[in-house]
Amino acid sequence: MSTPLDPRTRCVVTGGGPAGMMTGYLLARAGVDVMVLEKHADFFRDFRGDTIHPSTLDIMSELGLLDEFLKLPHQELREIRGIFNGHPVTMADFSKLPTRCKFIAFMPQWDFLNFLAKHGKRFPTFTLCLQHEVVDLLFENERVVGVRAKTPDGERQIYADLVIGADGRHAVTHARANLEVQEFGAPIDVLWMRLAKRAGDPPQSLGFFHHGKLLVLLDRGDYFQVGFVIPKGGLDEIKEHGLPALHSNIVALAPFLNNRIAELDDWEKIKLLTVQINRLKKWCRDGLLCIGDNAHAMSPAGGVGINLALQDAVATANLLAAKLKERPVTISELGEVQKRREWPTRVIQSMQVFIHRHAVTGRSSGNDDKLPLLPRLFVWFPFLRTLPARMIGLGPRPEHVNLPEAT
Ligand SMILES: Cc1cc2nc3c(=O)[nH]c(=O)nc-3n(C[C@H](O)[C@H](O)[C@H](O)COP(=O)(O)OP(=O)(O)OC[C@H]3O[C@@H](n4cnc5c(N)ncnc54)[C@H](O)[C@@H]3O)c2cc1C
C-alpha cells in the first residue's frame, strides 16, 4: 500500500548499465520524469566489455554529444584482427561502414556511464539513485506499479507508471514478474583478469584463437583486461591443475605475455564470468518492460551485447517517450518495443550459438598450425570483412534517435 511519503514518478529504470543509463538519459531529454536506480555506489567496476560501437557513436552524434565524448581517453579500433593458430588475420574492416565514425572506440565502461550520468543531470526530470538495489516489484491488481529498493537509509517503495527493467542477466524484475526465460545454452565461461602492458607489445589483436580456445586482450592503456575462455563449469578442474598450468595455457596462445604472466600469482586475481544466452518469451507485462540483457542475456562472442542493449534503449525512448510524457502507456504499446527489437536480438543470438558450437568451445580441438577455413576466406576474399564489420559495428536494424529534446 502506498503512503503519501513514498516517491512517485512516471518511470523507474532498474539498473544503471548501458541499457538503463541510456534509457534514463533519453527519457529525461524528452521531458519524461525518470529515476534510474543502480545498486552499486559508482560505476567503477570491471565491467564485461569496453566497446562503443560505430552505431552508438552515431547515436552520440545525433544527441550532439559526440565531440565531447571523443575527448575522453579511448583507443580507436578500425579493424579487428585475430591470431588463428599463430596466423594474423583481419576479420572485420570498419572503414566502409555508412557511419560517422568508422571505428570501435575502446573506453572503460565506467567512463561511458559517468558521461551519460553527467549529461543526464542537466535535465530537471532526471534522477540517478546510486546504492538503490531493487529487491521486489510492487503490484496492484496484477499491474506492476513500482519497486521496493534497499538503500543505505533502509527500504524505499518507489511508485511509477512504468518500470523499465534494465538490471541485467540476473534481473530481479523479470524473475519477480514471472516472465518466462528461454535458455539457448552456452558451453563456455570466461576467466577475467588483468596483465600489465609493456612497451614493444605487438599491435592490438583482440583475439588469439587456437583450435577452440580463445584469449581476448582489451587494451586499457597501461594494462590489458584479459578474457580466457574455458569450458562451462571447468574452473574447479583448472584450479586442480594449478596456476602454472593456467599460465602456460595462456602463454601458448599469446607467447609475448610470458614475461608478465607471473603477475597472476593468486586465484583471487582471476574472476569467473559465467556466460549465458537466453531470451524472455514476453519482454513486458502491464506496467513493466524489460530491455537489454534482462530481456536477452548475451554471450561475449562478437562483443555486441552493449550495442544491442543501447539500441533497445533508443527504440524504447523513440516508441514510448512522447506517450509517457502525457500519460501511462498500455501493454500493447510496451509490446511494440519487443516487436521492434526481438528480430535483431534473434539474429545476433543465433550467430553466438553457432560460434559456440563450431568455433569457440574452450576445449582444444586439434593441434596443427594450419589456418582454419573460415579465417582463410577473409584472407582470400578481403571484401568479406565488411560483413562482420556491419554485424559488429552496426548490428541488424540499427536505431537512430527520433525524438526532440524537451524545451
Ligand atoms: C564475459 C563477458 C564479456 C563481455 N564482453 C562484451 C564486450 O566486449 N562488448 C559487448 O558489447 N558486450 C560484451 N558482453 C555483453 C555485455 O556485457 C552485455 O550484453 C551488456 O552489458 C548488457 O547491458 P545491460 O545494461 O543490459 O546490462 P548490464 O551491463 O548487466 O547492467 C545492469 C546494471 O544493473 C545493475 N543491477 C543489477 N541488479 C540490480 C538491482 N536489483 N537493482 C539495481 N541495480 C541492479 C547492475 O549493477 C548493472 O549496473 C560481455 C558479456 C560477458 C558475460
Side-chain angles (χ1 to χ4, degrees):
M1 182 63 74
S2 84
T3 74
L5 292 179
D6 291 329
R8 187 169 186 97
T9 182
R10 180 68 89 190
C11 179
V12 156
V13 179
T14 65
M21 288 305 295
M22 183 57 94
T23 305
Y25 175 86
L26 289 172
L27 290 181
R29 178 179 176 271
V32 176
D33 264 316
V34 58
M35 277 174 99
V36 181
L37 311 183
E38 165 57 46
K39 68 178 174 185
H40 291 98
D42 54 39
F43 299 119
F44 292 98
R45 281 162 292 121
D46 268 335
F47 283 85
R48 301 189 302 267
D50 295 336
T51 46
I52 308 291
H53 297 243
S55 51
T56 304
L57 294 168
D58 268 358
I59 290 167
M60 299 306 267
S61 167
E62 288 158 13
L63 294 171
L65 300 174
L66 184 65
D67 291 344
E68 187 185 338
F69 182 64
L70 288 179
K71 286 190 184 129
L72 296 175
H74 67 279
Q75 288 96 37
E76 297 179 3
L77 190 79
R78 290 171 188 275
E79 52 178 40
I80 294 185
R81 287 182 349 132
I83 311 285
F84 292 84
N85 303 339
H87 306 271
V89 176
T90 300
M91 295 178 299
D93 172 5
F94 299 112
S95 65
K96 308 228 164 34
L97 285 185
T99 49
R100 284 169 194 79
C101 300
K102 297 177 193 313
F103 54 83
I104 289 186
F106 264 87
M107 180 185 291
Q109 200 179 100
W110 54 80
D111 282 347
F112 176 58
L113 297 177
N114 274 324
F115 184 86
L116 287 179
K118 178 178 121 190
H119 283 275
K121 285 175 191 159
R122 286 194 297 124
F123 304 120
T125 55
F126 179 87
T127 310
L128 171 63
C129 301
L130 297 172
Q131 290 182 285
H132 275 56
E133 179 179 359
V134 174
V135 289
D136 209 350
L137 293 173
L138 304 171
F139 291 92
E140 269 172 28
N141 302 326
E142 297 293 305
R143 182 184 166 89
V144 176
V145 293
V147 298
R148 178 172 298 122
K150 224 165 51 184
T151 79
D153 303 320
E155 281 206 346
R156 280 178 94 183
Q157 303 197 116
I158 301 166
Y159 283 81
D161 294 313
L162 175 65
V163 174
I164 295 184
D167 40 339
R169 302 169 324 139
H170 306 292
V172 166
T173 44
H174 78 229
R176 292 288 190 269
N178 280 327
L179 295 177
E180 192 182 335
V181 185
Q182 299 165 279
E183 293 289 345
F184 302 107
I188 60 158
D189 286 328
V190 177
L191 299 184
W192 203 237
M193 48 228 160
R194 290 178 180 200
L195 284 174
K197 238 180 88 187
R198 301 235 174 123
D201 282 344
Q204 189 172 11
S205 287
L206 273 184
F208 296 78
F209 299 83
H210 194 260
H211 299 294
K213 296 198 168 214
L214 169 60
L215 181 79
V216 174
L217 297 185
L218 306 180
D219 184 343
R220 287 223 177 124
D222 55 350
Y223 69 93
F224 288 117
Q225 182 68 54
V226 181
F228 182 55
V229 172
I230 62 167
K232 185 158 272 315
L235 181 58
D236 286 343
E237 194 183 331
I238 289 172
K239 280 188 171 172
E240 272 168 31
H241 290 113
L243 274 173
L246 176 65
H247 292 173
S248 44
N249 278 328
I250 291 175
V251 169
L253 289 170
F256 75 96
L257 296 175
N258 194 30
N259 56 7
R260 69 208 83 167
I261 195 73
E263 290 169 16
L264 298 174
D265 54 4
D266 190 330
W267 289 106
E268 288 293 306
K269 295 185 180 171
I270 299 168
K271 283 188 212 153
L272 175 69
L273 299 183
T274 51
V275 175
Q276 285 172 279
I277 304 180
N278 64 35
R279 196 164 60 237
L280 296 182
K281 268 198 170 154
K282 285 198 169 156
W283 297 16
C284 58
R285 61 176 282 174
D286 222 5
L288 171 73
L289 170 69
C290 298
I291 60 169
D293 266 25
N294 181 1
H296 44 77
M298 306 301 291
S299 145
V304 288
I306 297 168
N307 193 34
L308 222 58
L310 291 166
Q311 306 277 322
D312 283 3
V314 175
T316 300
N318 283 344
L319 288 164
L320 302 181
K323 297 175 183 109
L324 266 178
K325 202 174 160 190
E326 305 299 327
R327 58 172 171 82
V329 285
T330 64
I331 178 128
S332 70
E333 288 165 339
L334 296 179
E336 293 297 317
V337 176
Q338 176 172 359
K339 261 194 214 149
R340 178 149 186 96
R341 296 304 309 158
E342 188 167 3
W343 174 75
T345 307
R346 278 173 182 266
V347 172
I348 295 281
Q349 287 186 322
S350 307
M351 285 172 44
Q352 294 190 323
V353 169
F354 179 86
I355 290 171
H356 289 319
R357 290 212 181 118
H358 301 283
V360 178
T361 58
R363 292 180 194 282
S364 193
S365 55
N367 53 16
D368 63 49
D369 282 334
K370 282 198 206 125
L371 185 58
L373 180 63
L374 190 64
R376 196 177 286 256
L377 292 177
F378 291 118
V379 177
W380 287 340
F381 307 109
F383 68 91
L384 288 178
R385 297 170 191 166
T386 52
L387 298 174
R390 278 197 91 91
M391 221 22 107
I392 295 168
L394 290 177
R397 190 178 280 162
E399 302 288 346
H400 294 279
V401 180
N402 191 10
L403 69 169
E405 185 167 333
T407 44

